[in-house]
Amino acid sequence: MADAQWGPGRRAGDADEFLPVLDIVEPTRQRRLTVLLRILLLIPHFIVLFFLEIAAFFTVVFGWFAALVLGRLPEPVFRFLAGVLGYRTRVGASGMLLIDRYPPFALNPPPDYPVRIDVRPTRLNRLAVFFRLILVIPAAIVQSLATSGWYVLAILWWLITLILGRMPRPLFQATAATLRYEMRVSAYVSMLSPAYPKGLFGEDALSVPERQGRSDTRPLVMSGAAKALLVLFLVLGLVSAITGSVTRSSSDDDTDVRMQAQGAAAVHAPTGTGRAPE
């Protein structure tokens, strides 16, 4: 398992478009104290990620122009963006309670860290690169709904993990699927992969040959309960989006009404002569 494996071209045995892989070693138990304080413990990583995301944004812009010319990402660009993607994914896995081990402050994690991504650079279709932000819209919408739906009930997932000292298997699978799809969308936008994001509901057990590396999420074979939870995430995300849109619309209408009322009051307000009584 590796976060960034450079080699601008297909490998023997690779599919036509290699989908980025998320490898997670599921913990048997989690320390309740670290679960209790998880968000507080991750604050330093959120600060580091803030600055990394700024650097990654400008790197992606440069990489977009380079990919249009070269038909691939330059090696330094690929390695940096893959490192940021891995860092973001490890922090996300910790924040979503998939692992108990604290994320390292490094773009390249130690070999035994339980969360890794596998991205492999290949030639990029220049036309797909040019329209990348338009093409990704459907996948980005699905990813947004799934992720926001998970966070709608984040307190419930936190309480379950805190009480049990572990994340139930179906919840682990659904959460890992959500994080993996988010990672694949980010990899596609960053031009780290030409493969369009897919596999939200997992894959068949035979999709990964025995000779290739395997983990608890490679392949991600989801149970019926896990798929039901994933559908719940999507529904909750949709409801949250609609509710937020209606609330914002209602708030904007109320603001407009108040402004119109204030304007009418100002127009009809009597004006004094300013003369003092004799």
Side-chain angles (χ1 to χ4, degrees):
M1 296 184 290
D3 276 24
Q5 301 182 18
W6 177 255
R10 290 182 56 194
R11 299 178 179 183
D14 279 358
D16 291 337
E17 288 187 330
F18 178 81
L19 270 172
V21 175
L22 173 63
D23 280 302
I24 300 179
V25 178
E26 182 181 5
T28 55
R29 302 289 297 178
Q30 295 202 42
R31 293 166 293 177
R32 289 182 173 86
L33 183 59
T34 61
V35 173
L36 178 66
L37 303 175
R38 184 63 53 91
I39 298 302
L40 293 177
L41 293 172
L42 289 176
I43 288 177
H45 282 289
F46 296 150
I47 296 173
V48 172
L49 264 177
F50 174 78
F51 292 102
L52 281 177
E53 297 290 1
I54 294 175
F57 171 78
F58 290 104
T59 306
V60 167
V61 173
F62 172 79
W64 183 80
F65 285 103
L68 285 178
V69 176
L70 303 175
R72 61 177 176 84
L73 285 180
E75 180 179 357
V77 173
F78 169 80
R79 289 191 180 279
F80 176 72
L81 292 179
V84 173
L85 179 62
Y87 192 106
R88 183 193 306 129
T89 303
R90 289 188 290 275
V91 174
S94 180
M96 297 178 83
L97 306 174
L98 288 168
I99 57 169
D100 188 49
R101 187 170 168 184
Y102 195 70
F105 287 94
L107 294 182
N108 295 312
D112 62 341
Y113 193 75
V115 178
R116 299 184 74 90
I117 66 171
D118 189 354
V119 287
R120 302 176 184 179
T122 60
R123 302 292 300 182
L124 299 172
N125 183 302
R126 290 179 175 86
L127 189 61
V129 169
F130 187 79
F131 292 105
R132 187 59 51 105
L133 292 181
I134 297 176
L135 293 173
V136 79
I137 289 175
I141 291 174
V142 173
Q143 178 262 312
S144 177
L145 293 179
T147 303
S148 60
W150 188 93
Y151 279 102
V152 166
L153 294 179
I155 294 180
L156 177 59
W157 314 141
W158 175 76
L159 284 173
I160 291 174
T161 308
L162 182 64
I163 293 171
L164 298 179
R166 61 180 178 83
M167 181 173 276
R169 181 70 176 167
L171 180 57
F172 172 85
Q173 292 175 340
T175 304
T178 301
L179 180 64
R180 186 181 70 166
Y181 196 80
E182 180 180 352
M183 181 270 292
R184 286 178 173 175
V185 171
S186 296
Y188 184 74
V189 172
S190 302
M191 293 161 293
L192 289 169
S193 171
Y196 198 78
K198 56 174 103 39
L200 177 61
F201 286 88
E203 51 263 332
D204 186 85
L206 301 178
S207 60
V208 176
E210 291 291 342
R211 67 179 181 275
Q212 293 187 13
R214 286 173 171 256
S215 68
D216 292 303
T217 57
R218 182 198 290 212
L220 182 56
V221 182
M222 300 177 64
S223 65
K227 292 180 179 179
L229 279 172
L230 201 48
V231 172
L232 176 63
F233 296 167
L234 293 169
V235 172
L236 289 175
L238 181 60
V239 171
S240 177
I242 294 174
T243 303
S245 177
V246 171
T247 302
R248 285 192 299 270
S249 177
S250 177
S251 177
D252 291 342
D253 291 342
D254 291 343
T255 301
D256 291 341
V257 170
R258 286 196 298 269
M259 292 180 64
Q260 291 173 5
Q262 291 172 358
V267 170
H268 296 291
T271 57
T273 60
R275 295 175 57 188
E278 299 179 358

